[in-house]
Amino acid sequence: GINAEYGCLQYKNTCSLLHESLNKLQGQQEPSREVLENCMQYFAQLKKFNCKAQQQCRRVRDNTRQLKKKLDSTDLILKNLQFEEIYLQREIRKCLQYKSVDEELSLIPEIEYLSSLGDKKPSSDQHEHMLERLKWELEQRKTMRVDEERWEKSKIDLEGEIAGLKGYLASLPPQLEEMLATTTQVQEYLGMKLVHRKTQAEMAAWLPTQLYNIYSQVTGYTEYLKLGTTVTLNGDLEIARNLNSDDASDVDEVVEIETKHSKRRSAVNDPGKKKVFKAHPLTVEVVVPCDEGVHAKVLFSYLTKLKVVSVSISLMITTASPWRDKFSVGTDYMSSKELLCALWTEDHGEECPNPDTSAILNKYSLPSKTKIPNSLGRPFLWAQRLAGITGWSAGVKLDVATSRETVPHFLEAIKQRCLARLALKYQLRNLATNKTVKEGAISQPTLLTEMVSWKEVQLDSLSDSYPERTVKHVSEKDTLYELVVKRGKTSCKSLLTLSLDYP
């Protein structure tokens, strides 16, 4: 300030005066008293100036120290305020981000809570209202927890009881098996066949739907009317279990006709044919009683690739049957192929009824005219109806009603066809041996015309013996017989044609 500048100016003046006095003393041999006194006076003033300067520095230093202390205190207060601001911001942020635990809980609906209050009005304060609701929720949860513990204990008791019953039920099958084994002779004596029915029921569970329709409908119809027809399931149950129940036709590795478990051997040698004409391991066998000692055994198989039912038939004649005699003529009419051919009008079973057959054969590089082997039977249309198959568009269409309606016609047609063919064989045998047939006690009158020969002929040999207009009406599927009769010196030759649907 002003005092400092003034003191500095006086200090400079005093120094200059002292410098002049000292210069004077250097030029004198004997210093004057006055000059010495001036020098002493100047030294005293300089000392005074020095003392004042030190006091002033001390005062400035003290002021600076006070100001620094005040500054440090202010800075500390500022930092505290900053820390407090950060803390408050953090707390504000926590408050803004705060979520109550009840928000994550699945609380009982508020409507139910309000209804539990009855006439009591809820608090108007939202916070108090929420607290009251949470207290009520806690009480409800405690009550529910007690109920849960009680039910859990009841559950454990029931599980123990169920485990005991399961153990008891698990011990029943061996006991039942033992009982059945010990009562086998009694069952056979009484004709109950419980073991056989159990085995048949297990096999029926693994039948394809088509064969199951045949089995169930024929069994139900014949048992209800007590016709004496027997229906039996045959085949290897173990292989059938290994099949994919959803689509058995896609499993080529599991089902093989030639296995150690199967007694049958396939007559198809071509690998492609083996896959296309693969038959389900289970078959349905229907034995139809036709006459005394005569039964027709009809066997139904299901071709898994072609999705059709094939059928074959064989006649069983007991030794006590009047039809037991062996016939030397017309044996073709008793074969499986001829017995079932044209059982229904124009149904020869030569073509597979599935319209996708050509595509399936082409997939396995087989000619489109490849036919099903005779060992598997023929896919007659009536067999498809008996299985409930009504079409193949967009998958096999099944109708149980169709199967049920076909059963009585099938049984009657089989019976009538077998009896008619046996009668035809009997007539052909008599013609071949030139015997007179007696009906009752009345004999035939004496015949003047004599049958010279009766023989079966082939269509190829008729062109030279008969006119063309006669031969053109004959089919390759017909059976031809040539009859030669003679009366006196006149003889007559005639041709008899038996079609597949006769009689």
Side-chain angles (χ1 to χ4, degrees), residues 221-229 289 411:
Y221 180 80
T222 56
E223 287 183 354
Y224 177 74
L225 297 179
K226 299 180 179 179
L227 300 179
T229 301
L411 295 176

Side-chain angles (χ1 to χ4, degrees), residues 153-428:
K153 183 179 179 181
S154 176
K155 176 185 174 183
I156 294 174
D157 295 340
L158 288 175
E159 287 179 348
E161 184 178 353
I162 292 172
L165 292 175
K166 283 184 177 179
Y168 175 72
L169 291 176
S171 64
L172 283 180
Q175 296 178 15
L176 293 175
E177 293 289 343
E178 185 178 355
M179 291 175 61
L180 289 175
T182 54
T183 59
T184 302
Q185 296 181 355
V186 178
Q187 294 177 33
E188 293 177 355
Y189 178 77
L190 298 177
M192 298 176 68
K193 299 181 179 180
L194 297 179
V195 177
H196 175 73
R197 290 181 180 179
K198 178 187 175 183
T199 305
Q200 293 291 293
E202 291 179 356
M203 297 179 71
W206 297 96
L207 281 175
T209 307
Q210 293 82 346
L211 292 183
Y212 183 79
N213 287 339
I214 298 175
Y215 173 74
S216 59
Q217 296 302 323
V218 176
T219 302
Y221 180 80
T222 56
E223 287 183 354
Y224 177 74
L225 297 179
K226 299 180 179 179
L227 300 179
T229 301
T230 59
V231 185
T232 309
L233 299 180
N234 300 319
D236 197 320
L237 182 58
E238 183 178 351
I239 297 179
R241 284 174 176 167
N242 293 330
L243 288 175
N244 188 343
S245 59
D246 295 331
D247 188 5
S249 62
D250 293 337
V251 183
D252 292 337
E253 297 82 3
V254 178
V255 181
E256 291 292 342
I257 299 177
E258 295 182 8
T259 61
K260 63 180 180 180
H261 304 290
S262 177
K263 297 181 179 179
R264 297 184 302 165
R265 289 191 173 270
S266 172
V268 183
N269 295 324
D270 188 1
K273 285 186 177 181
K274 275 188 176 182
K275 293 182 178 181
V276 174
F277 302 121
K278 185 186 299 295
H280 193 274
L282 299 181
T283 58
V284 179
E285 180 183 284
V286 181
V287 179
V288 182
C290 301
D291 198 2
E292 182 183 355
V294 179
H295 296 81
K297 184 171 70 173
V298 186
L299 186 66
F300 295 93
S301 303
Y302 180 65
L303 306 183
T304 57
K305 288 291 183 182
L306 299 179
K307 300 185 185 303
V308 295
V309 175
S310 63
V311 57
S312 60
I313 189 174
S314 61
L315 272 180
M316 299 184 298
I317 304 177
T318 62
T319 54
S321 173
W323 302 99
R324 184 62 180 175
D325 298 338
K326 295 182 179 180
F327 303 97
S328 59
V329 180
T331 53
D332 289 343
Y333 276 77
M334 302 308 291
S335 64
S336 173
K337 178 176 67 175
E338 305 300 340
L339 270 175
L340 296 177
C341 191
L343 193 62
W344 262 254
T345 306
E346 299 298 329
D347 187 7
H348 301 289
E350 294 182 350
E351 301 295 334
C352 184
N354 187 352
D356 297 332
T357 300
S358 299
I360 296 173
L361 292 174
N362 186 37
K363 178 182 177 181
Y364 290 92
S365 303
L366 294 175
S368 58
K369 295 184 179 180
T370 304
K371 295 184 179 181
I372 299 175
N374 293 330
S375 59
L376 297 176
R378 287 192 175 186
F380 294 99
L381 291 175
W382 60 264
Q384 315 312 312
R385 291 183 59 82
L386 187 61
I389 301 176
T390 59
W392 288 268
S393 58
V396 180
K397 295 182 179 180
L398 300 176
D399 182 18
V400 179
T402 302
S403 175
R404 184 166 51 251
E405 294 171 359
T406 310
V407 170
H409 303 289
F410 152 70
L411 295 176
E412 184 64 23
I414 291 292
K415 179 178 179 180
Q416 296 300 328
R417 171 59 65 87
C418 292
L419 291 178
R421 288 299 166 88
L422 286 172
L424 177 61
K425 283 184 60 175
Y426 184 61
Q427 294 174 5
L428 294 178

Side-chain angles (χ1 to χ4, degrees), residues 6-100:
Y6 178 74
C8 183
L9 182 60
Q10 287 184 345
Y11 179 78
K12 286 182 179 181
N13 291 333
T14 302
C15 286
S16 62
L17 292 175
L18 179 62
H19 187 266
E20 290 178 358
S21 298
L22 292 174
N23 287 334
K24 289 180 178 181
L25 290 176
Q26 289 180 358
Q28 297 180 3
Q29 294 180 357
E30 293 182 2
S32 65
R33 183 177 182 84
E34 181 181 2
V35 174
L36 291 172
E37 289 178 356
N38 289 335
C39 289
M40 294 295 292
Q41 185 179 1
Y42 293 147
F43 273 112
Q45 289 180 354
L46 288 175
K47 187 175 180 181
K48 180 181 179 180
F49 285 142
N50 184 32
C51 182
K52 286 182 178 180
Q54 289 181 0
Q55 290 177 357
Q56 188 174 4
C57 287
R58 190 179 298 111
R59 186 170 54 253
V60 171
R61 188 167 51 250
D62 293 339
N63 290 335
T64 303
R65 189 180 296 110
Q66 292 294 329
L67 292 175
K68 184 179 179 182
K69 183 178 180 181
K70 186 177 181 181
L71 179 63
D72 292 340
S73 176
T74 304
D75 182 65
L76 182 61
I77 292 173
L78 178 61
K79 288 183 178 180
N80 289 337
L81 290 175
Q82 289 177 348
F83 290 144
E84 186 175 356
E85 179 187 8
I86 294 172
Y87 172 76
L88 292 175
Q89 288 178 352
R90 185 168 61 249
E91 293 299 320
I92 292 172
R93 194 180 306 110
K94 287 181 179 180
C95 292
L96 292 176
Q97 296 177 353
Y98 173 76
K99 287 186 178 180
S100 179

